[in-house]
mmCIF file of all heavy atoms in Angstrom:
data_model
loop_
_atom_site.group_PDB
_atom_site.id
_atom_site.type_symbol
_atom_site.label_atom_id
_atom_site.label_comp_id
_atom_site.label_asym_id
_atom_site.label_seq_id
_atom_site.Cartn_x
_atom_site.Cartn_y
_atom_site.Cartn_z
ATOM 1 N N MET N 107 -1.830 -12.382 23.874
ATOM 2 C CA MET N 107 -2.803 -11.492 24.483
ATOM 3 C C MET N 107 -3.167 -12.170 25.798
ATOM 4 O O MET N 107 -3.391 -13.386 25.831
ATOM 5 C CB MET N 107 -4.012 -11.439 23.563
ATOM 6 C CG MET N 107 -4.698 -10.114 23.499
ATOM 7 S SD MET N 107 -6.042 -10.220 22.309
ATOM 8 C CE MET N 107 -5.176 -10.029 20.779
ATOM 9 N N GLU N 119 -1.826 -12.811 18.530
ATOM 10 C CA GLU N 119 -2.036 -12.008 17.328
ATOM 11 C C GLU N 119 -0.956 -12.375 16.322
ATOM 12 O O GLU N 119 0.226 -12.437 16.667
ATOM 13 C CB GLU N 119 -1.978 -10.504 17.639
ATOM 14 C CG GLU N 119 -2.135 -9.663 16.364
ATOM 15 C CD GLU N 119 -2.305 -8.167 16.597
ATOM 16 O OE1 GLU N 119 -2.231 -7.715 17.757
ATOM 17 O OE2 GLU N 119 -2.524 -7.461 15.587
ATOM 18 N N ALA N 120 -1.370 -12.632 15.088
ATOM 19 C CA ALA N 120 -0.425 -12.958 14.021
ATOM 20 C C ALA N 120 0.058 -11.653 13.405
ATOM 21 O O ALA N 120 -0.741 -10.815 13.010
ATOM 22 C CB ALA N 120 -1.108 -13.818 12.964
ATOM 23 N N LEU N 121 1.384 -11.459 13.358
ATOM 24 C CA LEU N 121 1.954 -10.229 12.801
ATOM 25 C C LEU N 121 3.006 -10.595 11.762
ATOM 26 O O LEU N 121 3.962 -11.308 12.053
ATOM 27 C CB LEU N 121 2.559 -9.379 13.921
ATOM 28 C CG LEU N 121 1.535 -8.820 14.922
ATOM 29 C CD1 LEU N 121 2.180 -8.496 16.252
ATOM 30 C CD2 LEU N 121 0.831 -7.598 14.357
ATOM 31 N N SER N 177 -5.768 -13.969 16.292
ATOM 32 C CA SER N 177 -6.318 -12.852 15.535
ATOM 33 C C SER N 177 -5.375 -12.448 14.414
ATOM 34 O O SER N 177 -4.162 -12.507 14.538
ATOM 35 C CB SER N 177 -6.655 -11.679 16.462
ATOM 36 O OG SER N 177 -5.496 -11.034 16.859
ATOM 37 N N VAL N 178 -5.989 -12.079 13.289
ATOM 38 C CA VAL N 178 -5.264 -11.746 12.064
ATOM 39 C C VAL N 178 -5.693 -10.346 11.612
ATOM 40 O O VAL N 178 -6.876 -10.024 11.637
ATOM 41 C CB VAL N 178 -5.579 -12.795 10.965
ATOM 42 C CG1 VAL N 178 -4.942 -12.423 9.643
ATOM 43 C CG2 VAL N 178 -5.131 -14.191 11.393
ATOM 44 N N ASN N 179 -4.704 -9.538 11.227
ATOM 45 C CA ASN N 179 -5.010 -8.171 10.789
ATOM 46 C C ASN N 179 -5.462 -8.129 9.334
ATOM 47 O O ASN N 179 -4.937 -8.836 8.487
ATOM 48 C CB ASN N 179 -3.765 -7.292 10.918
ATOM 49 C CG ASN N 179 -3.374 -7.087 12.359
ATOM 50 O OD1 ASN N 179 -3.977 -6.300 13.067
ATOM 51 N ND2 ASN N 179 -2.364 -7.826 12.796
ATOM 52 N N LEU N 180 -6.423 -7.273 9.075
ATOM 53 C CA LEU N 180 -6.937 -7.124 7.719
ATOM 54 C C LEU N 180 -6.693 -5.713 7.231
ATOM 55 O O LEU N 180 -6.805 -4.761 8.000
ATOM 56 C CB LEU N 180 -8.449 -7.297 7.734
ATOM 57 C CG LEU N 180 -9.013 -8.684 7.760
ATOM 58 C CD1 LEU N 180 -10.503 -8.581 7.488
ATOM 59 C CD2 LEU N 180 -8.347 -9.515 6.705
ATOM 60 N N GLU N 211 -8.994 -8.506 12.681
ATOM 61 C CA GLU N 211 -8.860 -7.139 13.186
ATOM 62 C C GLU N 211 -9.024 -6.147 12.046
ATOM 63 O O GLU N 211 -8.291 -6.182 11.068
ATOM 64 C CB GLU N 211 -7.486 -6.960 13.856
ATOM 65 C CG GLU N 211 -7.320 -7.857 15.067
ATOM 66 C CD GLU N 211 -6.101 -7.504 15.916
ATOM 67 O OE1 GLU N 211 -5.398 -6.534 15.591
ATOM 68 O OE2 GLU N 211 -5.880 -8.221 16.908
ATOM 69 N N ILE N 212 -9.983 -5.271 12.218
ATOM 70 C CA ILE N 212 -10.195 -4.227 11.227
ATOM 71 C C ILE N 212 -9.909 -2.884 11.892
ATOM 72 O O ILE N 212 -9.843 -2.803 13.120
ATOM 73 C CB ILE N 212 -11.642 -4.231 10.690
ATOM 74 C CG1 ILE N 212 -12.643 -4.069 11.838
ATOM 75 C CG2 ILE N 212 -11.908 -5.530 9.929
ATOM 76 C CD1 ILE N 212 -14.061 -3.864 11.394
ATOM 77 N N THR N 213 -9.733 -1.838 11.110
ATOM 78 C CA THR N 213 -9.532 -0.521 11.710
ATOM 79 C C THR N 213 -10.681 0.388 11.304
ATOM 80 O O THR N 213 -11.448 0.068 10.396
ATOM 81 C CB THR N 213 -8.207 0.126 11.249
ATOM 82 O OG1 THR N 213 -8.189 0.180 9.841
ATOM 83 C CG2 THR N 213 -7.010 -0.656 11.749
ATOM 84 N N ASP N 241 -9.295 -2.570 15.719
ATOM 85 C CA ASP N 241 -7.897 -2.324 16.085
ATOM 86 C C ASP N 241 -7.595 -0.832 16.196
ATOM 87 O O ASP N 241 -8.281 -0.015 15.589
ATOM 88 C CB ASP N 241 -7.006 -2.943 14.996
ATOM 89 C CG ASP N 241 -5.616 -3.295 15.493
ATOM 90 O OD1 ASP N 241 -5.308 -3.008 16.670
ATOM 91 O OD2 ASP N 241 -4.835 -3.873 14.705
ATOM 92 N N ASP N 242 -6.559 -0.488 16.961
ATOM 93 C CA ASP N 242 -6.035 0.890 17.033
ATOM 94 C C ASP N 242 -7.120 1.912 17.356
ATOM 95 O O ASP N 242 -7.109 3.021 16.819
ATOM 96 C CB ASP N 242 -5.369 1.301 15.700
ATOM 97 C CG ASP N 242 -4.299 0.322 15.273
ATOM 98 O OD1 ASP N 242 -3.773 -0.395 16.135
ATOM 99 O OD2 ASP N 242 -4.000 0.270 14.068
ATOM 100 N N LYS N 262 -9.794 -2.693 20.531
ATOM 101 C CA LYS N 262 -8.418 -2.633 21.014
ATOM 102 C C LYS N 262 -8.018 -1.176 21.191
ATOM 103 O O LYS N 262 -8.021 -0.401 20.234
ATOM 104 C CB LYS N 262 -7.482 -3.347 20.026
ATOM 105 C CG LYS N 262 -7.811 -4.833 19.889
ATOM 106 C CD LYS N 262 -6.828 -5.561 18.997
ATOM 107 C CE LYS N 262 -5.558 -5.921 19.751
ATOM 108 N NZ LYS N 262 -4.718 -6.871 18.946
ATOM 109 N N GLU N 298 -3.610 -2.268 24.160
ATOM 110 C CA GLU N 298 -2.414 -2.561 23.365
ATOM 111 C C GLU N 298 -1.203 -1.865 23.971
ATOM 112 O O GLU N 298 -1.329 -0.838 24.636
ATOM 113 C CB GLU N 298 -2.556 -2.028 21.937
ATOM 114 C CG GLU N 298 -3.718 -2.534 21.135
ATOM 115 C CD GLU N 298 -3.574 -2.172 19.648
ATOM 116 O OE1 GLU N 298 -2.835 -2.881 18.943
ATOM 117 O OE2 GLU N 298 -4.188 -1.190 19.217
ATOM 118 N N GLN N 318 -2.115 -6.648 25.945
ATOM 119 C CA GLN N 318 -1.104 -7.140 25.016
ATOM 120 C C GLN N 318 0.044 -6.147 25.082
ATOM 121 O O GLN N 318 -0.192 -4.955 25.258
ATOM 122 C CB GLN N 318 -1.740 -7.121 23.628
ATOM 123 C CG GLN N 318 -0.999 -7.833 22.548
ATOM 124 C CD GLN N 318 -1.763 -7.759 21.214
ATOM 125 O OE1 GLN N 318 -2.923 -7.353 21.172
ATOM 126 N NE2 GLN N 318 -1.099 -8.136 20.155
HETATM 127 MG MG1 MG C 402 -3.680 -5.694 15.180
#
Side-chain angles (χ1 to χ4, degrees):
M107 215 177 280
E119 177 171 4
L121 294 157
S177 75
V178 175
N179 293 282
L180 279 191
E211 297 192 2
I212 57 172
T213 56
D241 205 357
D242 305 338
K262 298 184 81 169
E298 302 193 80
Q318 192 179 349

